[in-house]
Amino acid sequence: HDTPDLVAVAQTLASPPYMNMGPGGTYADNFIYGKWKYIEQNVPGKTIYKAQNSWDWTRPPVEQPDWVHQVFPSWDFLYREIRDCEDVEILINNSSDHYLTLTSIFWDETTNSGKIDYIDPWTGSYGMADIFLDLDGTAGPGPAGSLYTNYAGGESWVSMAVSESVPIPASLLLMGSGLLGLGGFRFRKKLS
């Protein structure tokens, strides 16, 4: 697909009634809801969705879908979804607040650490970062039980992960949603 097509999809997704992106970015629930609504309007009933989201769902009047679980994203969720060739985006917060599209994950259960490969919407390029599990809340920037990464040389915790099994005609959406990471992110209240 041509770049103008990708930009057009990204602009559609960024505006109401989808992700409602403002100057400071978009909330995790708007990101999840926007992709869901867009896919279902364009390719209805063909996609399976899954999400782990540590932020409160505040997207009125839409109720939180039953496939969105309000928990910290886990390495095994990321692993299973990548293994099953699903489209997986994560939201990282702290030194850099934005979304990454995962392309692979390696995990070592004995060290509770691994590596992720991703496509970064800020640069449009492939990258790699270390990922760790903070068991007690002292190792990384996030709460106990959260994953964190050294993406871009800082420490950011993984606050949301969403996956979809997107049909081939909707693959343009994946590229367009990657462009949305350029807009940043706005915080919401997290699980305590």
Side-chain angles (χ1 to χ4, degrees):
H1 295 284
D2 294 331
T3 301
D5 293 337
L6 300 176
V7 170
V9 170
Q11 289 172 339
T12 299
L13 282 167
S15 53
Y18 304 105
M19 294 185 186
N20 295 326
M21 184 172 289
T26 190
Y27 296 120
D29 51 357
N30 284 341
F31 185 88
I32 293 168
Y33 172 79
K35 285 191 78 172
W36 175 40
K37 183 173 180 70
Y38 183 86
I39 293 169
E40 288 306 309
Q41 284 182 339
N42 289 283
V43 191
K46 305 273 187 205
T47 304
I48 298 169
Y49 308 90
K50 298 176 188 169
Q52 294 182 331
N53 182 20
S54 65
W55 303 102
D56 290 337
W57 187 269
T58 57
R59 178 86 162 94
V62 179
E63 293 292 321
Q64 178 173 299
D66 60 0
W67 49 266
V68 177
H69 300 279
Q70 195 166 3
V71 297
F72 296 114
S74 64
W75 72 265
D76 54 331
F77 174 79
L78 300 177
Y79 175 80
R80 281 191 315 270
E81 297 308 300
I82 294 288
R83 178 198 65 202
D84 293 345
C85 298
E86 306 300 359
D87 175 51
V88 179
E89 287 89 27
I90 61 172
L91 172 59
I92 58 173
N93 305 106
N94 200 30
S95 64
S96 298
D97 299 334
H98 72 283
Y99 300 88
L100 297 173
T101 300
L102 295 187
T103 57
S104 71
I105 183 171
F106 164 80
W107 190 259
D108 182 344
E109 289 185 274
T110 60
T111 62
N112 284 317
S113 64
K115 293 203 177 289
I116 55 171
D117 296 315
Y118 57 83
I119 298 173
D120 188 337
W122 279 355
T123 63
S125 62
Y126 163 86
M128 182 184 289
D130 296 320
I131 190 166
F132 311 90
L133 176 60
D134 187 358
L135 293 171
D136 60 9
T138 61
S146 65
L147 295 171
Y148 70 99
T149 177
N150 65 354
Y151 164 82
E155 285 190 339
S156 299
W157 64 286
V158 180
S159 64
M160 186 273 299
V162 62
S163 82
E164 344 39 61
S165 58
V166 180
I168 297 302
S171 62
L172 185 60
L173 163 69
L174 305 178
M175 299 292 230
S177 66
L179 294 173
L180 291 173
L182 295 169
F185 169 76
R186 293 182 291 183
F187 281 100
R188 288 266 172 107
K189 183 180 174 190
K190 64 182 177 191
L191 289 174
S192 44

